[in-house]
Amino acid sequence: MSHGPPDVLIMGATGRAAARAASRAGLSVACADYFADLDLLELGPAARIDPGQAESQFTAFALTHPRLPWLYTGGFENRRALVDLISRDRPLWGASGGVLERVRDPFQVARVFERAGIAHPRVRPSPEGLPRDGSWLMKPLASGGGRDVAPLVDEQDSPSEGFSYQERIAGRLISALYLGAGDRAVLVAASRQWEGAPGAPFGYRGSLGPLAIGPRLAVRLTSIGQVLARSFAIPGWFGVDFMLAQGVPWPLEINPRYTASIEVHELATGVALLPHHRRACEAGTLPEPCVFPITERKIVVAKRIVYASRRLVAPVIDRAEYQPLGSNRPATIADVPAAGTVFQSGEPVLTVLARARTARECKARAIDLERLWTERLETDAPRPSG
């Protein structure tokens, strides 16, 4: 498929959703990620990156598109030197390596919240003296998508480095989305987060949103965003995952990049968010908060990841099923693998998308779609050889 010259590069573990966001904003893309899915290839040229050679291959991909602006998705927040290397001769629509180093430090973030009087979980650099009853969590310092997060229990080996330990808070897991510029931030929306991937009980499973936000919660979330903006000057999109406990948001993690929930907000509202992100990064300007009607919604959108239940080979999936460009029929699947792609048990295969008038109905539809596609993959996928 032929495409025009790209306007922006997108790089990360998975780039399809961000590439679709760029397409909604009228931009052409070139993308490099770990999958090069079929619906990503609909949007522009895409290179499939070997995770074991990510540093060199992402760099080589960037060099084939000199001086073109770029943005990154999940995983790059843990590659701070690479972010700065790629940004040396091109505009970056996102946080620099220096910003990432500060805002991804759980101890710096905890101190910022402490000084501002914002409720937050306690964090420790060592498990020494902590109870081993599951009331604390082990979290990799280079975390991503909830992978390798585990309760601290008697049977759990405690690594000596590379982890922090965070107090476990009970409540509803929610993610707030912000736009930042300089020392200011605007609250965009919030979404329900699902966790529980195979082999990763805290792994990201999906999002549902936008959630209706009451005035009191909106004030609290706005305060969290402003404190982070004043302390870290995060440009453009950033997300805050938090537990909502008795009306109080307890921030758990900061994601200073394109977040998975952006897709559900754009699909639910029809508002393209990338132009706001671009202006925040290039010009340091933010839209008025009223641009984002965070307390109103017409429909709710959910996305859930379908994981392989065994080692399998992706079957042929008809192009009409993942909505070819120009179709008016909303897609119900995304991140569609090419036929013959081999997945190991527990790996993500594709994403299902559901729409409804209420959160309850939308959740039910998404879970039904996830089950249907899990069964279909079990039935249609050819058995791998060997």
Side-chain angles (χ1 to χ4, degrees), residues 149-196:
V149 177
L152 183 63
V153 294
D154 286 332
E155 299 78 15
Q156 181 70 56
D157 292 332
S158 301
S160 58
E161 57 184 25
F163 279 74
S164 65
Y165 298 83
Q166 185 181 73
E167 181 184 18
R168 193 170 183 177
I169 305 297
R172 296 178 64 207
L173 181 59
I174 296 174
S175 181
L177 175 65
Y178 301 87
L179 275 167
D183 62 355
R184 297 193 306 124
V186 172
L187 175 63
V188 177
S191 61
R192 180 68 188 273
Q193 300 288 93
W194 289 309
E195 56 186 358

Side-chain angles (χ1 to χ4, degrees), residues 5 72 151 254:
Y72 54 82
I254 317 303

Side-chain angles (χ1 to χ4, degrees), residues 4 40 65 80 115 133 150 163 172 261 263 312 317 321:
L40 174 59
H65 301 278
R80 293 139 202 183
R115 289 194 296 267
D133 56 2
F163 279 74
R172 296 178 64 207
S261 67
E263 181 169 36
L312 58 80
I317 299 176
E321 294 195 73

Side-chain angles (χ1 to χ4, degrees), residues 222-257:
T222 297
S223 177
I224 289 172
Q226 294 288 17
V227 165
L228 291 171
R230 288 196 298 270
S231 302
F232 300 107
I234 310 168
W237 290 313
F238 66 93
V240 178
D241 296 338
F242 65 91
M243 281 293 182
L244 186 63
Q246 298 181 335
V248 177
W250 292 69
L252 307 177
E253 187 163 290
I254 317 303
N255 296 302
R257 53 166 171 76

Side-chain angles (χ1 to χ4, degrees), residues 58-331:
F58 277 126
T59 302
F61 176 79
L63 290 174
T64 64
H65 301 278
R67 295 180 294 281
L68 208 60
W70 79 293
L71 63 90
Y72 54 82
T73 65
F76 259 82
E77 67 270 33
N78 299 318
R79 301 181 183 276
R80 293 139 202 183
L82 182 59
V83 167
D84 286 343
L85 175 65
I86 294 174
S87 303
R88 284 194 307 187
D89 63 348
R90 72 187 66 239
L92 168 63
W93 297 352
S96 68
V99 172
L100 291 173
E101 183 174 6
R102 294 189 297 274
V103 77
R104 293 288 292 175
D105 181 335
F107 308 106
Q108 283 200 49
V109 172
R111 289 192 292 270
V112 164
F113 287 147
E114 184 72 27
R115 289 194 296 267
I118 290 174
H120 64 285
R122 292 173 290 172
V123 293
R124 297 289 184 271
S126 163
E128 185 176 354
L130 297 179
R132 290 180 171 265
D133 56 2
S135 60
W136 285 72
L137 298 174
M138 298 171 45
K139 300 184 69 173
L141 292 173
S143 62
R147 293 277 176 178
D148 298 320
V149 177
L152 183 63
V153 294
D154 286 332
E155 299 78 15
Q156 181 70 56
D157 292 332
S158 301
S160 58
E161 57 184 25
F163 279 74
S164 65
Y165 298 83
Q166 185 181 73
E167 181 184 18
R168 193 170 183 177
I169 305 297
R172 296 178 64 207
L173 181 59
I174 296 174
S175 181
L177 175 65
Y178 301 87
L179 275 167
D183 62 355
R184 297 193 306 124
V186 172
L187 175 63
V188 177
S191 61
R192 180 68 188 273
Q193 300 288 93
W194 289 309
E195 56 186 358
F202 297 91
Y204 175 75
R205 191 68 180 246
S207 303
L208 181 149
L211 295 184
I213 302 175
R216 182 172 297 181
L217 179 57
V219 169
R220 289 180 181 269
L221 293 180
T222 297
S223 177
I224 289 172
Q226 294 288 17
V227 165
L228 291 171
R230 288 196 298 270
S231 302
F232 300 107
I234 310 168
W237 290 313
F238 66 93
V240 178
D241 296 338
F242 65 91
M243 281 293 182
L244 186 63
Q246 298 181 335
V248 177
W250 292 69
L252 307 177
E253 187 163 290
I254 317 303
N255 296 302
R257 53 166 171 76
Y258 181 92
T259 70
S261 67
I262 290 175
E263 181 169 36
V264 301
H265 298 316
E266 288 195 329
L267 291 175
T269 64
V271 176
L273 296 177
L274 183 56
H276 298 299
H277 172 74
R278 179 180 182 177
R279 284 193 289 272
C281 294
E282 289 187 339
T285 59
L286 292 175
E288 292 300 320
C290 62
V291 170
F292 307 114
I294 59 174
T295 58
E296 301 175 7
R297 62 186 183 193
K298 293 183 178 179
I299 67 167
V300 181
V301 173
K303 61 189 293 185
R304 282 180 73 89
I305 299 173
V306 177
Y307 289 92
S309 57
R310 60 169 172 83
R311 186 170 181 265
L312 58 80
V313 177
V316 175
I317 299 176
D318 190 271
R319 189 166 176 264
E321 294 195 73
Y322 54 89
Q323 190 191 0
L325 295 179
S327 171
N328 292 321
R329 177 177 56 83

